[in-house]
Amino acid sequence: MRRLTTAELFKLTHRRMTWILATTLLVLTGVVYTVILIRVQNGGNPDRPDELARFTQFLSLTNVVPFGYSVTQQLVTILGIVLAGAAVGSEFGWRTVLLITAWTGARVRLVAAKLLVLALLVAAGVLLGFVASLTGSILAGLVRGSLQGSAWSSSLLPHALAGGGRTWLAVLPYVFLAGALAMLGRSTTLGVAVGLAVLFLERVVGPLVGLLGHPFDNLQNVFLYRNAGGLMQANGLLPGADSSAGMPSPVHGAVVLLLYVALFAGITFLAFMHRDLTE
Amino acid sequence: MAIQPARASGPAVVQTQGLTKRFGEVTTVHDLNIELRAGEVVGFLGENGSGKTTTMKLLLGLLAPTAGKVFLFGQPLATHLPQLLRRVGAIIEAPAFYPYLSGRDNLRLLAGLDGTPASHIDTVLAAVDLQGAAQRKFSTYSLGMKQRLGIAAALLRDPALIILDEPTSGLDPAGQREVRALIPRLASEGRTVFISSHIMHEVQQVCDRVAIMKAGELIAQGDVDTILATRDRLLVRVDDLGAAERLLRQLPWVVGVEREADALILDAPAPRAAEITAALAAQSLFVSELRPRERSLEAAFFALTGQEQPA
């Protein structure tokens, strides 16, 4: 298992796409902070003073855990779907799945290693995104002359670590979904396209389900984005966010997300175990 | 026509028992029983779609059999797949590698999967003359270089059994010659080589035995010499071919007579050559040449599979 995991890491870390995705994460996080900083420096919209206050709080170091991880979650989910779809689907496109399977014959461990490495890279992405957000927040504080040393309390690190764990779990089901779809369809395109479609469409379909009223509105709480949102609330409410939005509790969110992780991993295992790799 | 398997000495390296693979309604391999012994080079022949590649995939566990069993090194493949594959090197269809990795990194990846010493990489790259391009990305390789890297990968973990599906495909004549030279060398080191090819003379040159598939069934298996001698053929040269042909067709042990340029080709037992001469001489048809007509493996293949040999 260790060798298979090392091999998976070797494959993905030697692939240019992985580094392009990591760079994209850094650049987009930087863009988010830069745009907000410019907006704040320009004084915001005079008709909406609350907006300026909210944007200012986004940049604050004291909000780096809720806001930084919120940005990271959105970006890593999208980039993680691309990574997972490509990591699984390319093996079929290049037919390297035959090479590796004929070499090892260990299908269960092959899938386990691939999923483990995807989970590790998602964790690395979350860490990278948070570091980028932290840097953005510090730089914004320096530019605005508002960097507060008091924000560096002893509780920041455990808060940040717990937030990282929650963000990782909020992203992971989407990544495993893309991997499972790529495995089922033996295609990068299918994994990425359907993974992204689920990510965006559930935010359209979910509220529509909510409009149906009781008891159907409870169905919303099986949607991934609702449970991810519920879990992410434990990182702290975003400035200006409505605490009574009816999101599932963090515990509910974590349990449902874990169930999805298990479901998508199980589908990936079953598909690979019973797949004729040679078609 | 099935030829009984030659019983080579040594332990069975590959053995299949009633191996069958069906895809829906289509039976690709039916009740296949083959046996390969240590140190043998066995050619696997058959037209496209005859089940050769499917059989090779079954031997590597890439496909699960619908029925029957595969044993490698005396152990059932179904229950010992990862352990058994460590002793096998294979190329199936076109060699597939990671296009963004160099040839050397592709081999490093494979070596790392089962703890093969990295020092083997240079050895196998040298064996296929690919050291000069080892740092280049696989995606930039020519077809021949890709094939050579596939062979290098097959040799990487010093396998006891090597399964090669069309190993000279895409190679230039020099590369084909190198592979043909490499195969007997591998066998001389005690390895068993199972090789499928469409190039009959290649198989005839390098293989000890052949197995011939047709429509998913094994129709012949045996020594190359045995396969070639399945039917005796005699070349007879006389002045009056028409009269000789009429006469020879009346002999009960002459199965067939064909004309070829200024000679006749008989399907007849070679030990009856003297009787043929006597029968013709009795009718004042004097033989200027009578000799066994050697058959190529290609001719034997077409005869056994019932196909028309291309002109």
Side-chain angles (χ1 to χ4, degrees):
Chain A
M1 188 65 193
R2 183 181 56 80
R3 285 177 176 150
L4 284 166
T5 307
T6 307
E8 283 301 321
L9 272 173
F10 182 89
K11 281 190 268 180
L12 284 174
T13 54
H14 280 72
R15 196 168 173 182
R16 190 180 298 165
M17 178 199 68
T18 309
W19 297 106
I20 291 173
L21 292 176
T23 306
T24 305
L25 173 63
L26 289 176
V27 169
L28 289 180
T29 306
V31 166
V32 167
Y33 273 86
T34 305
V35 167
I36 294 174
L37 178 63
I38 291 169
R39 183 77 174 169
V40 169
Q41 292 294 82
N42 287 345
N45 186 343
D47 299 332
R48 301 180 63 184
D50 56 325
E51 183 187 84
L52 181 63
R54 194 153 50 92
F55 284 159
T56 305
Q57 287 181 37
F58 283 163
L59 296 177
S60 163
L61 198 55
T62 52
N63 282 316
V64 73
V65 170
F67 181 67
Y69 276 131
S70 173
V71 172
T72 298
Q73 182 214 351
Q74 306 299 323
L75 294 177
V76 175
T77 301
I78 294 169
L79 301 175
I81 286 171
V82 175
L83 178 75
V88 175
S90 298
E91 299 272 10
F92 290 94
W94 297 326
R95 297 181 66 77
T96 43
V97 67
L98 283 179
L99 173 76
I100 300 295
T101 310
W103 193 269
T104 63
R107 291 195 186 197
V108 172
R109 284 184 287 141
L110 269 175
V111 176
K114 199 167 268 299
L115 294 179
L116 178 63
V117 167
L118 283 175
L120 286 174
L121 289 182
V122 168
V126 169
L127 178 65
L128 190 65
F130 181 70
V131 169
S133 296
L134 188 63
T135 307
S137 186
I138 291 169
L139 290 175
L142 287 172
V143 168
R144 298 187 63 243
S146 61
L147 194 61
Q148 296 166 335
S150 60
W152 297 97
S153 70
S154 59
S155 64
L156 180 63
L157 183 62
H159 188 36
L161 285 175
R166 291 185 200 104
T167 308
W168 175 78
L169 182 55
V171 172
L172 206 55
Y174 291 99
V175 172
F176 277 22
L177 170 65
L181 290 166
M183 182 70 81
L184 284 169
R186 286 170 294 189
S187 155
T188 300
T189 310
L190 188 82
V192 175
V194 180
L196 290 176
V198 168
L199 174 67
F200 292 114
L201 286 179
E202 65 169 356
R203 284 153 211 264
V204 176
V205 176
L208 287 176
V209 171
L211 287 176
L212 293 172
H214 188 74
F216 301 106
D217 52 352
N218 282 333
L219 282 175
Q220 285 185 95
N221 290 342
V222 300
F223 282 68
L224 280 171
Y225 82 100
R226 295 272 300 173
N227 290 286
L231 177 63
M232 292 296 285
Q233 279 190 343
N235 286 346
L237 272 182
L238 286 173
D242 180 5
S243 62
S244 60
M247 284 288 190
S249 72
V251 173
H252 178 284
V255 169
V256 173
L257 292 173
L258 279 172
L259 288 174
Y260 274 116
V261 167
L263 174 69
F264 298 143
I267 290 171
T268 310
F269 274 106
L270 283 175
F272 194 60
M273 292 305 294
H274 299 288
R275 170 68 67 211
D276 173 7
L277 303 176
T278 66
E279 279 176 357
Chain B
M1 176 190 293
I3 296 164
Q4 289 305 306
R7 309 303 296 181
S9 61
V13 172
V14 176
Q15 191 179 29
T16 67
Q17 293 177 353
L19 191 63
T20 300
K21 181 64 186 178
R22 277 192 285 275
F23 295 98
E25 297 295 307
V26 180
T27 302
T28 314
V29 176
H30 177 63
D31 193 25
L32 182 67
N33 298 292
I34 53 172
E35 195 171 289
L36 277 64
R37 303 225 158 228
E40 277 191 313
V41 179
V42 179
F44 203 29
L45 303 176
E47 56 198 282
N48 287 338
S50 61
K52 302 188 303 293
T53 301
T54 301
T55 302
M56 290 184 155
K57 288 172 181 171
L58 288 164
L59 297 184
L60 292 167
L62 289 172
L63 291 174
T66 309
K69 289 180 179 170
V70 175
F71 295 87
L72 296 186
F73 310 103
Q75 293 188 297
L77 187 69
T79 52
H80 295 76
L81 183 64
Q83 302 94 306
L84 292 174
L85 288 183
R86 287 197 191 111
R87 301 173 68 186
V88 180
I91 305 179
I92 295 295
E93 297 174 334
F97 290 95
Y98 294 92
Y100 58 90
L101 293 178
S102 68
R104 180 183 296 280
D105 277 346
N106 269 292
L107 296 182
R108 260 178 70 195
L109 175 73
L110 294 176
L113 281 170
D114 56 7
T116 301
S119 58
H120 284 203
I121 294 171
D122 285 321
T123 308
V124 295
L125 283 170
V128 297
D129 194 23
L130 212 54
Q131 302 117 303
Q135 295 304 121
R136 278 173 50 189
K137 283 185 181 176
F138 179 72
S139 58
T140 67
Y141 280 13
S142 67
L143 191 58
M145 291 163 79
K146 289 176 179 176
Q147 198 71 16
R148 296 218 297 273
L149 187 65
I151 294 171
L155 299 176
L156 187 60
R157 48 187 175 185
D158 199 15
L161 168 64
I162 300 171
I163 295 174
L164 302 173
D165 189 14
E166 307 280 351
T168 57
S169 171
L171 294 182
D172 59 21
Q176 290 180 8
R177 198 167 54 239
E178 283 168 23
V179 172
R180 281 200 294 272
L182 178 66
I183 289 168
R185 202 165 74 228
L186 295 170
S188 72
E189 294 165 355
R191 303 176 211 269
T192 304
V193 183
F194 193 36
I195 172 175
S196 83
S197 177
H198 284 113
I199 306 171
M200 301 292 168
H201 72 90
E202 176 178 284
V203 172
Q204 193 171 348
Q205 278 178 29
V206 302
C207 294
D208 306 312
R209 287 203 298 131
V210 292
I212 300 178
M213 297 281 285
K214 183 181 181 184
E217 301 210 26
L218 184 69
I219 57 167
Q221 182 182 198
D223 296 341
V224 172
D225 293 341
T226 309
I227 295 278
L228 293 177
T230 301
R231 290 188 304 169
D232 288 337
R233 285 161 74 86
L234 297 169
L235 181 144
V236 181
R237 207 181 299 277
V238 291
D239 286 340
D240 189 345
L241 286 178
E245 184 178 350
R246 282 191 297 278
L247 172 70
L248 292 170
R249 282 190 186 282
Q250 291 168 15
L251 299 177
W253 33 266
V254 173
V255 179
V257 182
E258 295 167 27
R259 283 200 191 196
E260 187 180 282
D262 57 349
L264 297 173
I265 307 296
L266 310 186
D267 270 350
R272 297 221 184 223
E275 292 173 65
I276 290 169
T277 312
L280 291 169
Q283 299 298 318
S284 299
L285 295 165
F286 298 104
V287 173
S288 59
E289 185 180 1
L290 174 60
R291 60 178 169 83
R293 174 62 185 270
E294 285 181 0
R295 290 202 309 170
S296 66
L297 184 59
E298 187 170 21
F301 172 78
F302 283 115
L304 286 164
T305 57
Q307 290 178 275
E308 292 254 334
Q309 187 170 359

